[in-house]
Structure formats: structure tokens, C-alpha cells
Amino acid sequence: MAILSFLIQLFGAVMLLLFAVRMVRTGIERSYGASFQRMMTSERSLLGTAAAGLGLAVVLQSSAAVALLAAGFAAGGFLSFASGLAIVLGGDLGSALIIQILSFRLDWLVPVLLAVGGWLFVKTENRSWRQAGRILMGIAFILISLRFLREAMDPIRDSAFLPAIANYLARDYITAFLVGGALAFVMHSSVAAILMCVTLVQIGAVPFAAGLSLMLGANFGAGFIPVWLSRGMSPAARRIPFANLLLRGSWAVAMLFACTLATRAGMITWPQTGQALVSAHIAFNASLLLIALPFVRLLEAPIAGVMPNGSKHPDDPLATLQSHSALDPENIGTPAQAIASLKQELLTMSDMVGNMFRPTIDLYRRGDEDSIRAVIALDRDVNDRLTGIREFVAAIPQREFGKENAKLARDLMEYAIRLETAGDVVAKRLAPLARQMREKQARFSEQGWTELRNLHECSLANLKLASNVLLSDDLESARLLSLEKTEVKRAERKSRKRHLKRLQEGLVDSFETSDIHLETLRAFREFNSHIAAVAYPVLYRNGQLLETRLIEDMSEVAR
């Protein structure tokens, strides 16, 4: 019975730890996710790029999240292999530093974090303040989960069960290494796994020798997480997590044998404390960064040889996969299958619109005529997808599907129309404006350029959120997307007012690009409005959307 109670408490503490880490990460992504691409893809030295990865990992509390971001940007051609690998190596060190912060005994801070974070999340309407409250409460939950973990270990620490296992792991360092790797992979969080190991060493439940092997194994297992999560991406994206696994895994195995032999020979004596384990974890990742960073460019060729790009031959089925439609009007299938096919097609269409919109901000400064034409040419593919969706929805038998499924299909078709219109905004308004900038050789003012870039990043983040809403029908995400639409409108109004103020001050750059700046602001706002429309059906079905914002009874106003 005692073992069952222990396992339940342990499982609950671990689940709370995983939830809290995810809560902090999602709060930060929702508040600042729009700036991640600019931070990661800015041109800088490898050392500066690694520092950016370190900062992102500290912010996101996850080196795996940094690796996936790097893989995604590499797949889109925004990040080179060397820069991406430098970012991931820096992210590994950043996640080690966050463990140092969270390993301190900060139980006294929990009530303050809960009080302030809960008040911000519940009582404020501002999106940024609400997400700040989410982050603070997530940190409080991390500290609570660590306390629960310590308390769960107390009853059996002095029993024969736990010491027997701990002593076995201390003797069999290879098994401990494998257990640590499996723990990190199953938890899908190196931060959570190593915090757990540190806590076990701190309370004396596990000897330091076993904790060291578990920590090194957790580093090895953490390298598998982005490799597994990126398995469906292009080879260019998968090379970065794979190279990181190769470096991190090799170094972990080398350090495992080196530390074990040195300890058993009496060459090294370790303090038997959790802080010593944290320091060893930081030293492991810092040494890996310093040793591997100078050679990241040399790794590109051998990794590309192991993971080459797919064949571009027109008869290759992989080459035509992206152009293949998920819809077949001759074989509609069941209502569930038809709705799933429509969503899959809409996701593809959304990716196409994203591929059109993503490079537009760069076209304003560095775009040549070929790049502008390439963006405009994508609009034909988006239009073809809309035509296919219309034909598919028109072929749906209304009686067999029922009113609810038929209406859902119509809602999806309406969103397809919105996506096509968003593509038109890019092809017919933003691309010609970029051409005007190139022809005039004009430049925005620094303030104006920053405002446009931030609005572009917000719209890109909202496009990703819209895809999540489309796929999940999640009410919270739909509400967030609707709030983000309001934030974009507010940002557009503020930028317009600031621009007019700069004109009054006689700023030359603002005067020369005034029409283009204002038209770009309107285009960004309209683009964001179209992609956010996916939230309306979800909000309406859940009673979260009013039919009109007009006051129904004017007599109430007169009173």
C-alpha cells in the first residue's frame, strides 16, 4: 500500500512539473512568439547566434523548443545549418542555466507568485498582462511540484526499497545512463527530468554517482526529443536536431565513461549535493558549446551526406506530394472523413498563404523583381486550392450529411475564401508596394520600419494560431485569436498616429514613404482580419460571439 501511495504521489508531482513547464512556455510564446523569428534569423557571428539560442532557451525553458524553432526556420530557408546548430547548442546551455535558477529553495516566493500571477490573469483584460500572470503562476507551480516531489520521497527514503535501487544505479552507471535518457524522452522535457534528478540528490534519496549518470543520460535523451518531433519535416530541417543529437550524445557518452573511471580511481571527489549536480550539468553543456562551436560549419557536408535532399525528379512521388490535393469529389466518404479532408486541404492552403506572406517584409528592403514575381505566382496555386474546395463542398450530399455537417463544410469553405482573399492582399497589394519601394529606392524611417516589422511578425504568429484553431476547434485558442485581431487593429492605429506625428516633425524618410507606409498598415490589418476569421464559427458555436455590437433598444440610451 505504501508503494502504491508513493507512486501516485510521485506521478502527480511529475505531471504538475510537466504542466507547469508547459504553462510558462506557452505564456511566453503567446506574449513574445512573434519576435522569435527576427531574433533567430538576424545576421550575427556564431557566438552571437549561440547567445541568442541561450536567451531563447532561458525564456522558453526548453532546449527542445529552441531546436524545433531552428528546424522550422531552416526548412523555410531563413536559417543556415551552421547558425541553426549554433542556436541549438546555445539553447542546451540556456536550459541548464534555468535549472540552476529553479533548483534554489524558493518556497517562500510561491504565495507571492500565485497572488500576483492569479490577479493579473483573472482581473486584467490586457493580453500581455494576462500572459504575464500565466507565466508567474507557471513558475509557482514548478516550485510547488518540486516541493511535492521532495515530500513524496520522504516516506520511502529510509525504507529498503529506494536505497536498494539507488545503490544499484550508483554501481551500474550504464543502466543509470539509460534510465536518465528514457526519463527525459518520456517526459519530453530535459528541464523537468534533470530537476527531478537534482531534487532526488538534494534530499539524499539517490547517491551523487547515480545522479550524475542519470543527468548525463537525460542530456542524451533530450537530444532525441527534437529529432523525434521533427521527423516529418524536410531533410534541411531534420539535419540540425540530428547533428545536435550526434554532438550531445557523443559528449554525454564520453563524459559518462571519463567521470566514472576518474571517480572510481579516486582522481575526482564530488560534493554529494544537488548543487554539485547542477554545476556538473552546466559544465557539460558549456564545454560542449565551446568545443563544438568552431566546427559547426565543417559538420554541414557530412550531415547532408547522411540526410540528402529528396529527389526533384517529376516522376518522384515525394516531389509531387505538396501539389497533391486531399480532396476527391468522386469519393467524398463519410461526414467525418470529408470534414477531415477539408481541414487538411485548408491547412495546406494556409501554408501556401504563409509562404506568400512571410517574405514580404524582406521584399521591401532587399527584394528583386524575381523574388516579387515568385510571391505573386504563388497566388495562382492558392486560387486553384479554393476552386477544388468549392467543387468538393458542392458535391457533398446534403441529406446524407445532415444540417450540422453541411453547415460545418460551408464554414470551412468560407474560411477558404478568406484565405484566398488574404493571398490576394499579398499578391495584389503588398508585392506591388514592395516593387514601388525598389523602384523609388526609398527607405522607411527606423521607427516606421520597426512598427511594420512588428506588425508583420504578429500576423505571422496569428496565422500559426489560426491553423491550430482550424485543426483543434479549441475555444481558448479561438478567443485568443480574436483578441489578437483586436491587438493588431490597435497596433495599426497607433502606428498610423505615430507616422502622422513624424510627418508633422518633418522627418524626410517618413514623408517619402508615407503612402506606402499607410497602405502597408492597412494591408497587414486586412490580412490578419481574414486569417482570424477561422475563430468566428468556434466562438459562435460556444455562445462566445454576439450577433451585433449595436445597442438593441435605443430607449435605454435616452434614459
Side-chain angles (χ1 to χ4, degrees):
M1 189 65 184
I3 295 298
L4 179 61
S5 175
F6 161 72
L7 292 176
I8 293 174
Q9 292 183 44
L10 179 63
F11 185 75
V14 171
M15 288 300 102
L16 180 59
L17 179 59
L18 291 175
F19 170 76
V21 171
R22 182 181 182 275
M23 186 175 181
V24 174
R25 186 170 66 250
T26 54
I28 292 172
E29 287 175 345
R30 290 175 180 179
S31 296
Y32 310 107
S35 301
F36 289 163
Q37 178 178 349
R38 174 161 46 91
M39 182 183 296
M40 296 181 71
T41 58
S42 298
E43 296 182 1
R44 52 170 71 92
S45 66
L46 287 178
L47 187 60
T49 303
L54 186 152
L56 281 173
V58 170
V59 168
L60 295 175
Q61 297 196 1
S62 172
S63 57
V66 174
L68 287 175
L69 283 172
F73 292 138
F78 300 102
L79 197 63
S80 67
F81 172 86
S83 297
L85 185 53
I87 284 175
V88 175
L89 291 171
D92 293 339
L93 179 57
S95 69
L97 295 177
I98 200 65
I99 289 172
Q100 173 65 82
I101 297 171
L102 296 175
S103 63
F104 292 131
R105 295 295 293 266
L106 301 173
D107 292 347
W108 60 271
L109 195 58
V110 170
V112 178
L113 293 173
L114 288 175
V116 176
W119 186 85
L120 288 174
F121 188 78
V122 174
K123 295 296 184 181
T124 60
E125 295 297 329
N126 183 274
R127 175 185 61 88
S128 298
W129 285 112
R130 281 176 60 86
Q131 296 308 320
R134 177 190 291 271
I135 295 167
L136 293 178
M137 292 185 69
I139 296 173
F141 290 155
I142 290 176
L143 299 176
I144 292 172
S145 67
L146 294 176
R147 186 175 67 189
F148 282 172
L149 190 60
R150 292 191 294 266
E151 293 174 354
M153 292 294 175
D154 284 339
I156 67 165
R157 184 170 49 183
D158 299 326
S159 67
F161 172 71
L162 184 60
I165 295 179
N167 291 330
Y168 173 76
L169 293 177
R171 292 192 305 270
D172 190 347
Y173 60 93
I174 294 179
T175 299
F177 181 85
L178 296 175
V179 169
L183 185 66
F185 184 78
V186 170
M187 296 176 77
H188 264 43
S189 172
S190 62
V191 172
I194 295 175
L195 275 174
M196 183 177 176
C197 296
V198 170
T199 303
L200 293 176
V201 173
Q202 277 179 337
I203 65 175
V206 171
F208 181 85
L212 183 63
S213 299
L214 287 169
M215 179 272 292
L216 292 172
N219 275 279
F220 185 44
F224 277 100
I225 298 172
V227 171
W228 174 258
L229 295 178
S230 64
R231 64 191 184 278
M233 295 184 179
S234 66
R238 290 186 285 118
R239 287 172 194 151
I240 293 175
F242 180 78
N244 178 60
L245 172 62
L246 183 64
L247 293 172
R248 198 173 186 182
S250 301
W251 192 237
V253 172
M255 287 297 98
L256 175 68
F257 286 102
C259 292
T260 301
L261 293 175
T263 301
R264 292 184 176 181
M267 299 172 61
I268 300 178
T269 55
W270 303 92
Q272 305 296 304
T273 63
Q275 178 57 50
L277 186 61
V278 175
S279 299
H281 177 51
I282 295 175
F284 170 84
N285 286 281
S287 59
L288 174 61
L289 175 63
L290 293 175
I291 292 172
L293 192 62
F295 303 101
V296 292
R297 290 191 174 93
L298 300 178
L299 285 172
E300 184 170 7
I303 296 296
V306 175
M307 306 177 69
N309 291 323
S311 172
K312 299 298 182 180
H313 193 277
D315 295 332
D316 186 351
L318 293 177
T320 60
L321 183 62
Q322 290 186 343
S323 62
H324 177 69
S325 174
L327 305 180
D328 183 5
E330 303 297 328
N331 184 22
I332 294 176
T334 65
Q337 292 172 337
I339 297 301
S341 296
L342 278 171
K343 287 188 175 183
Q344 183 179 348
E345 190 74 358
L346 279 170
L347 286 174
T348 303
M349 192 174 178
S350 178
D351 288 340
M352 289 181 171
V353 173
N355 290 336
M356 292 178 64
F357 183 72
R358 190 173 290 109
T360 52
I361 197 71
D362 292 326
L363 294 181
Y364 274 71
R365 280 202 166 179
R366 297 187 294 270
D368 53 33
E369 185 61 27
D370 291 339
S371 300
I372 294 173
R373 288 177 179 174
V375 169
I376 296 175
L378 290 174
D379 191 44
R380 291 193 293 269
D381 297 329
V382 174
N383 294 340
D384 291 341
R385 294 280 173 172
L386 176 60
T387 301
I389 290 173
R390 281 173 171 161
E391 294 174 353
F392 186 82
V393 173
I396 290 177
Q398 301 288 327
R399 292 183 180 179
E400 289 83 347
F401 267 52
K403 291 184 178 179
E404 184 176 348
N405 288 320
K407 184 180 184 306
L408 182 56
R410 289 196 300 271
D411 288 340
L412 294 174
M413 184 175 69
E414 288 181 6
Y415 185 57
I417 296 172
R418 288 279 204 157
L419 285 175
E420 191 273 338
T421 307
D424 287 343
V425 170
V426 177
K428 298 178 181 178
R429 294 172 61 183
L430 291 175
L433 288 172
R435 183 180 285 122
Q436 289 182 34
M437 288 287 293
R438 184 179 61 83
E439 292 173 350
K440 292 181 177 180
Q441 295 184 346
R443 293 179 65 87
F444 294 110
S445 66
E446 288 301 320
Q447 301 95 323
W449 176 247
T450 300
E451 293 164 7
L452 291 176
R453 187 177 58 191
N454 291 341
L455 201 57
H456 177 265
E457 291 173 351
C458 288
S459 298
L460 272 179
N462 290 342
L463 182 60
K464 180 180 179 181
L465 180 58
S467 297
N468 294 337
V469 173
L470 174 66
L471 196 61
S472 65
D473 287 334
D474 178 57
L475 177 59
E476 182 183 355
S477 298
R479 287 183 59 86
L480 178 62
L481 183 58
S482 181
L483 292 173
E484 290 288 349
K485 176 184 175 182
T486 303
E487 289 294 325
V488 168
K489 288 182 178 179
R490 185 179 292 112
E492 185 263 346
R493 287 196 299 268
K494 288 181 179 179
S495 179
R496 187 171 63 246
K497 291 178 180 178
R498 292 192 189 105
H499 176 74
L500 295 177
K501 185 178 180 180
R502 289 192 293 271
L503 289 179
Q504 290 178 331
E505 294 172 351
L507 197 61
V508 176
D509 288 342
S510 296
F511 184 81
E512 291 179 349
T513 60
S514 179
D515 291 340
I516 298 177
H517 183 98
L518 294 174
E519 183 61 29
T520 302
L521 286 176
R522 286 191 291 268
F524 281 170
R525 174 177 173 174
E526 184 177 341
F527 178 90
N528 186 81
S529 178
H530 288 308
I531 62 175
V534 71
Y536 299 153
V538 179
L539 295 173
Y540 186 78
R541 286 196 299 269
N542 289 274
Q544 301 289 308
L545 194 66
L546 298 176
E547 292 285 352
T548 177
R549 289 186 294 178
L550 294 175
I551 298 175
E552 297 292 340
D553 190 357
M554 288 300 295
S555 61
E556 295 293 331
V557 179
R559 295 177 188 175

